[in-house]
Amino acid sequence: MDTTKTTSQPQINLNTQQEEEESFFDLSKILFMVTLHWPWFVVSIIICLIAAFIYLRFQTPIYNVSGSVLIKDSDNRSRNAAMSAMSDMLDIGYIATSHNFENEMEILKTRTLVKEVVNDLNLYVSTYYKQSFGYKIPCYKTAPVIISFPSGVAENLSSDIDLTVNYKKDGSLFVEASYGKGQFKTQTIKKLPANMSLPVGTISFTKNDSVATPTQDVFLLATISSPNKVASSFAGNLNVVPLSETTTIATLSVHETVPQRGIDFINRLVDDYNADANEVKNTVARRTADFINNRIRVINDELSSTEGQIASYKQRSGLVNGASDASVAISQKATYDNQRAETSTQANLAQSLKEYINNPSNKDDVIPVVGFEDQSLNSTINQYNDLVLERKRLLQTSSEANPVVQRLNEQIGALHSSVNSSIDGTLRGLRIQQSNLSAQAGAYQSRISSAPIQEKQIISMDRQQTIKSDLYMMLLQKREENVITLAATANNGRMIETPRMSSFVGPNSQRIYLIALAVGLIIPFLIIWVIESLKYQIENRDDIRKITDVPVVGELPLSNTKGGSIVVRENRNELNEESFRGLRTNLLFMLKEGQKVIQFTSTQPSEGKSYIAGNLAVSLAFLDKKVLIIGLDIRKPGLNKVFNLSKSMLGISNYLSSPQEYPIDSLIQTSELSKNLDILPGGVIPPNPTELVSRDTLDKLMVDLRAKYDYIIVDTAPIAMVTDSDIISRIADICVYVCRCDVTPKAALDYVNKLKIDKKFDQLCIVINGIDLSKRKHTYKYGYGYGYGKSYGYGYGYGYGYGYGYGYGYGSKKGKKKSKKSKDSAEPKVEATDSKA
């Protein structure tokens, strides 16, 4: 038989129908779940809203405080046209640089700078007013008592110090302090100011004169934390962003519970930033002043020595006035000598500066700006000093591993080499100029060779005196210029918009209540989902859909079998009749031409396969079709109970054992329910059931029966427990796998998938049995159908005992008969007597 051909079309149609139903009922299922468990949702929402109210009650309001500051931005790349070559290298990327404005914004956010502000404003001590229900009210500068703790000692705190202060109206204090690991101390202070000594430090209490003395007792809470911890908190809360891309104006904002504290924080931050920036900028001027003062001392000593030599020489030579009527040659020589003296002065300065630069002890210091006639050299030195200062400022808040510091090191190294090269070039030029001047002076020297020896000596010493004197005067001038530079240092940042409270940040009560509402809705959904996920038994069609794609051809309600297992009656249109008519219609739709044998099986006992097989056979017989139902579950015959037949009645097991002794026609019984329905019971329980159903006697029998009957219903044993049903499948055209709500485990459907994959049956479908419509969890699925003037609630009794796995079939004790009570919406509770056969 071509399995693919016979099964594909019905499965596609049924699965498509299931998908349409599932998509159609998704919203209905959700709405039904909400309606079914509405008390859960109401209670959950109320609890979440109360929790949100309590949460908001204990949340301190937070405000945004912001201000704007203008930061002076100096671009080192456009200072002087003489640095065009270096600027080109910077522009094309040979030497990297970072924009000064961006660096300054980062400096404003550094923890080191913020820590200075925290220490200056005593922000590491937080004071609050205590409330009986609600958040602690911050009292920045408004508490009647000021609590102080040395910042240097607070640096070493390993944990916070928590204080509870009872400020009484008579001015006395009762203080409770907890610190460290469970350490505690109390102290009564009768008069302020006073101190409280702890092992970790001394706390000072002083009266706040700016606050009126309270007229009743005030309870305060205070926390003393490490400045590093508080600085990290403020630094993480501080936001510094540029106002626009075309300006050097930065907006400083901080979230604060007390707006005034935020305003003071930003103002002090800018002040400390300017102080640190000025300190760094004055480093160059101070280094230059030290260099100039040292040179002045040296030149002053040399000048005094030269003047002493002149006076001594004149005294030894008996000369009163060293000046004489110099000739034109002497005058010209003096001119060249003066020029050579100026050149020597520049050369001396250059040599001294070169020695200073090459001194290892001055490696990371700025280069003194003493002034050269070579403006290119002066510009290079100024740029080098700016980079050194910028590097020092960054090292205050970072390490050598910082990429910005490493780039600055590369730039400083390049400029250091450039300064050395420029000084060497300047020295070479000065020496060449000296050589030329000496040559010119030598031309006139021969013309004055006849001058008196004394005059020549005087002139030589006067020349040395002039050189020293000029150098001395130049250094004095530079010192004055440097003093002016120190006095005229401008702030790096200027506040252009004073800090103010700009907005309310939180807590956002509306959003929190909406979140609480959403959580209140989600929690019951999650609980219900978890409960449903933990259920291991099948409850409805959805459970089957999630595990297998084998089509479901029928859903049967839990029936009240008080009057017998056959619940289908002719010419009646109640729920049971309609349910089996639906099953009958779907099965006939799946059967192809010439197919007429329908096999019923299940996973385990008590799932109702015999009950469904018997009622389906009755329903088919009412179509005026000749129907035969065979009890091939010969290990535990169930049809006898369904049709109220004697358990000792002979049946198919007798025929399979001895066809000649027990003719088949003598074993078939005509049902009292319909003349079209014949019953072939299971017969005597044999010792070898598997071997009997494996014989070809069964195949030959089915050939004869197919010719006599329109439909043949075969009731077989649970397929997951014994192999009988698997063997019998060879004679069936379609297999109906019975699952029972709240009985069949979900894991059993994995076996159904295996049957489909292994193609054990030509066609395979599922019937869901025992749907309890009295349970509200099923009403969303079935409540729309079968309205025949009354409500249906069915108690489905089951007393069908199995003994599979331990001597089942023969010589074993029968399983204890069970019963189950169910509710009927129109009838009182009744006890079921039959159903699970």
Side-chain angles (χ1 to χ4, degrees):
M1 183 179 293
D2 189 350
T3 303
T4 305
K5 182 177 179 180
T6 59
T7 62
S8 60
Q9 183 64 34
Q11 289 181 359
I12 292 174
N13 292 339
L14 288 171
N15 288 337
T16 303
Q17 181 182 0
Q18 290 174 356
E19 292 174 0
E20 292 175 354
E21 290 178 0
E22 184 175 1
S23 62
F24 177 80
F25 283 107
D26 278 346
L27 180 58
S28 300
K29 182 177 180 180
I30 293 173
L31 294 176
F32 173 78
M33 183 176 65
V34 173
T35 304
L36 178 62
H37 302 287
W38 68 266
W40 292 24
F41 289 89
V42 172
V43 172
S44 176
I45 291 172
I46 292 174
I47 292 175
C48 289
L49 290 177
I50 293 175
F53 171 77
I54 296 174
Y55 171 80
L56 290 172
R57 183 65 181 174
F58 284 88
Q59 293 301 305
T60 306
I62 301 175
Y63 306 90
N64 184 62
V65 179
S66 62
S68 298
V69 60
L70 174 64
I71 298 176
K72 185 170 68 174
D73 184 23
S74 57
D75 192 349
N76 295 330
R77 293 176 290 177
S78 58
R79 283 189 171 184
N80 196 289
M83 292 301 297
S84 60
M86 183 65 68
S87 298
D88 292 340
M89 294 178 69
L90 292 170
D91 291 336
I92 64 177
Y94 285 109
I95 300 178
T97 184
S98 58
H99 200 278
N100 183 62
F101 177 56
E102 295 174 353
N103 290 339
E104 298 304 317
M105 287 197 301
E106 291 299 321
I107 291 173
L108 277 168
K109 295 189 293 184
T110 55
R111 189 179 58 83
T112 302
L113 183 60
V114 173
K115 180 182 174 182
E116 294 181 17
V117 179
V118 169
N119 288 332
D120 292 343
L121 297 179
N122 199 35
L123 297 180
Y124 55 90
V125 179
S126 303
T127 309
Y128 308 90
Y129 284 113
K130 182 179 179 181
Q131 289 191 107
S132 58
F133 182 74
Y135 62 87
K136 300 180 295 183
I137 302 176
C139 48
Y140 174 69
K141 294 183 178 181
T142 60
V145 59
I146 299 175
I147 302 173
S148 303
F149 195 79
S151 59
V153 179
E155 291 282 354
N156 301 321
L157 289 177
S158 58
S159 60
D160 295 345
I161 301 175
D162 296 319
L163 302 175
T164 302
V165 181
N166 182 3
Y167 190 97
K168 300 181 179 180
K169 59 184 179 181
D170 59 359
S172 62
L173 299 178
F174 178 74
V175 183
E176 298 179 355
S178 61
Y179 55 94
K181 295 182 178 180
Q183 300 184 65
F184 186 83
K185 183 178 180 180
T186 60
Q187 182 175 337
T188 300
I189 299 174
K190 296 183 178 181
K191 186 177 181 181
L192 297 177
N195 294 329
M196 183 179 188
S197 297
L198 300 175
V200 293
T202 301
I203 305 174
S204 300
F205 300 90
T206 56
K207 188 177 184 304
N208 189 352
D209 295 330
S210 61
V211 178
T213 302
T215 58
Q216 58 183 1
D217 292 354
V218 175
F219 290 90
L220 300 175
L221 301 175
T223 301
I224 302 174
S225 306
S226 169
N228 285 321
K229 176 181 176 182
V230 178
S232 297
S233 176
F234 270 94
N237 197 24
L238 177 64
N239 191 24
V240 182
V241 295
L243 187 62
S244 68
E245 296 181 356
T246 58
T247 65
T248 60
I249 298 176
T251 299
L252 282 69
S253 62
V254 63
H255 291 171
E256 253 299 338
T257 57
V258 182
Q260 185 58 47
R261 181 164 56 192
I263 293 172
D264 293 346
F265 174 80
I266 293 178
N267 284 328
R268 183 56 65 92
L269 180 68
V270 175
D271 291 342
D272 289 351
Y273 162 76
N274 283 328
D276 289 350
N278 292 339
E279 181 69 20
V280 173
K281 287 191 290 186
N282 289 337
T283 302
V284 177
R286 285 196 294 270
R287 289 285 182 178
T288 302
D290 294 340
F291 176 79
I292 291 175
N293 290 331
N294 290 334
R295 294 303 301 166
I296 286 177
R297 285 194 294 271
V298 173
I299 298 302
N300 185 55
D301 293 340
E302 293 178 353
L303 185 59
S304 298
S305 177
T306 301
E307 291 174 347
Q309 290 176 2
I310 293 174
S312 177
Y313 181 80
K314 287 183 177 182
Q315 186 176 9
R316 289 195 310 270
S317 302
L319 298 175
V320 178
N321 185 6
S324 63
D325 296 329
S327 63
V328 175
I330 295 175
S331 176
Q332 290 294 329
K333 184 176 180 299
T335 300
Y336 285 109
D337 287 339
N338 289 334
Q339 293 178 3
R340 188 168 58 181
E342 294 176 0
T343 304
S344 297
T345 299
Q346 292 290 321
N348 287 335
L349 283 175
Q351 184 62 36
S352 299
L353 190 59
K354 181 176 178 63
E355 295 173 357
Y356 179 86
I357 292 175
N358 293 328
N359 189 344
S361 62
N362 300 324
K363 178 182 178 181
D364 296 328
D365 290 333
V366 296
I367 300 174
V369 182
V370 297
F372 289 99
E373 294 180 358
D374 188 353
Q375 295 301 320
S376 177
L377 176 59
N378 290 334
S379 179
T380 302
I381 293 174
N382 287 332
Q383 188 174 16
Y384 175 88
N385 289 340
D386 290 341
L387 292 178
V388 170
L389 291 177
E390 186 175 359
R391 176 180 176 274
K392 286 186 175 183
R393 292 187 64 190
L394 289 176
L395 286 176
Q396 291 179 358
T397 59
S398 62
S399 64
E400 288 288 346
N402 190 324
V404 177
V405 175
Q406 292 178 358
R407 290 197 296 270
L408 286 175
N409 289 338
E410 295 175 2
Q411 298 175 41
I412 291 171
L415 287 176
H416 190 277
S417 299
S418 177
V419 171
N420 265 327
S421 299
S422 298
I423 292 175
D424 291 338
T426 301
L427 281 173
R428 286 193 298 272
L430 291 173
R431 286 169 183 152
I432 293 172
Q433 188 176 359
Q434 281 181 325
S435 178
N436 292 336
L437 292 174
S438 297
Q440 293 294 333
Y444 292 99
Q445 182 63 34
S446 60
R447 297 174 61 182
I448 59 174
S449 57
S450 58
I453 299 302
Q454 295 85 354
E455 188 70 20
K456 292 172 63 178
Q457 291 293 332
I458 292 297
I459 291 173
S460 178
M461 288 186 287
D462 284 342
R463 181 169 61 249
Q464 293 296 325
Q465 182 184 17
T466 301
I467 293 172
K468 303 296 183 183
S469 178
D470 291 344
L471 182 58
Y472 185 78
M473 294 302 297
M474 186 195 70
L475 290 173
L476 289 177
Q477 180 182 357
K478 292 297 181 183
R479 185 171 65 178
E480 292 302 317
E481 292 175 357
N482 191 64
V483 171
I484 294 173
T485 300
L486 279 170
T489 301
N491 288 336
N492 212 42
R494 178 168 61 88
M495 188 70 71
I496 61 174
E497 183 177 346
T498 57
R500 62 183 179 85
M501 186 188 74
S502 58
S503 62
F504 175 79
V505 176
N508 190 333
S509 57
Q510 183 178 7
R511 182 173 62 181
I512 291 174
Y513 278 123
L514 287 175
I515 293 174
L517 179 63
V519 172
L521 292 172
I522 291 172
I523 288 177
F525 273 112
L526 293 177
I527 294 175
I528 294 170
W529 178 81
V530 170
I531 293 174
E532 294 295 328
S533 299
L534 294 177
K535 292 180 179 179
Y536 68 94
Q537 293 174 329
I538 293 171
E539 291 189 347
N540 50 48
R541 178 191 289 249
D542 291 338
D543 293 338
I544 295 177
R545 285 178 179 172
K546 295 173 184 176
I547 303 173
T548 182
D549 59 354
V550 174
V552 177
V553 294
E555 297 170 90
L556 305 177
L558 185 65
S559 299
N560 183 0
T561 58
K562 184 178 181 180
S565 297
I566 300 301
V567 296
V568 175
R569 297 289 183 269
E570 192 173 11
N571 300 324
R572 291 177 62 180
N573 298 319
E574 296 186 359
L575 182 59
N576 287 318
E577 285 76 11
E578 292 297 337
S579 299
F580 279 98
R581 285 169 188 160
L583 172 61
R584 181 186 67 190
T585 301
N586 289 335
L587 286 176
L588 295 180
F589 174 76
M590 295 185 69
L591 289 174
K592 300 300 181 181
E593 184 176 357
Q595 295 180 346
K596 55 179 64 178
V597 180
I598 303 174
Q599 177 183 355
F600 280 84
T601 186
S602 63
T603 305
Q604 60 188 20
S606 302
E607 291 179 313
K609 57 182 179 55
S610 299
Y611 158 77
I612 297 175
N615 281 276
L616 178 65
V618 174
S619 181
L620 287 170
F622 289 159
L623 287 176
D624 201 21
K625 300 292 184 181
K626 195 64 176 174
V627 180
L628 173 66
I629 182 168
I630 305 175
L632 272 176
D633 184 0
I634 57 178
R635 294 175 181 267
K636 187 69 175 180
L639 289 183
N640 302 63
K641 190 172 185 178
V642 172
F643 290 99
N644 294 321
L645 302 177
S646 173
K647 294 182 179 181
S648 61
M649 184 174 290
L650 301 180
I652 191 170
S653 64
N654 303 90
Y655 173 80
L656 294 176
S657 299
S658 180
Q660 294 78 17
E661 183 179 356
Y662 301 101
I664 193 66
D665 293 335
S666 65
L667 301 177
I668 296 176
Q669 308 292 325
T670 301
S671 174
E672 298 177 354
L673 300 173
S674 173
K675 64 180 181 179
N676 295 321
L677 176 62
D678 290 342
I679 304 170
L680 180 56
V684 178
I685 299 175
N688 57 343
T690 303
E691 287 73 14
L692 287 182
V693 298
S694 300
R695 295 175 181 177
D696 58 358
T697 304
L698 178 62
D699 299 84
K700 295 176 182 179
L701 173 64
M702 293 305 298
V703 171
D704 295 337
L705 295 177
R706 282 175 180 267
K708 297 180 179 180
Y709 292 94
D710 295 318
Y711 297 106
I712 300 173
I713 307 298
V714 181
D715 179 29
T716 60
I719 194 170
M721 307 187 73
V722 293
T723 61
D724 298 5
S725 298
D726 196 359
I727 296 172
I728 296 170
S729 64
R730 70 185 189 277
I731 66 170
D733 297 318
I734 186 171
C735 177
V736 180
Y737 203 99
V738 177
C739 298
R740 179 165 183 164
C741 291
D742 301 323
V743 174
T744 303
K746 294 179 181 179
L749 293 178
D750 292 333
Y751 189 73
V752 176
N753 289 328
K754 185 177 184 301
L755 292 176
K756 180 181 178 183
I757 294 172
D758 295 342
K759 298 181 179 179
K760 295 289 186 180
F761 301 97
D762 292 335
Q763 295 191 83
L764 181 64
C765 59
I766 295 174
V767 170
I768 306 175
N769 183 34
I771 297 175
D772 189 354
L773 299 183
S774 65
K775 294 183 179 180
R776 295 180 63 187
K777 63 182 177 181
H778 295 298
T779 57
Y780 77 91
K781 193 65 125 177
Y782 307 100
Y784 60 87
Y786 313 128
Y788 298 101
K790 73 173 186 176
S791 301
Y792 293 94
Y794 295 92
Y796 188 79
Y798 46 94
Y800 185 51
Y802 263 77
Y804 286 118
Y806 36 90
Y808 167 79
Y810 53 92
S812 63
K813 294 183 179 180
K814 296 182 180 179
K816 292 183 179 180
K817 188 173 182 179
K818 300 179 182 179
S819 62
K820 182 177 179 181
K821 296 181 180 181
S822 63
K823 296 180 180 180
D824 190 324
S825 58
E827 302 289 342
K829 293 183 179 179
V830 296
E831 183 174 355
T833 60
D834 193 4
S835 66
K836 293 184 184 175

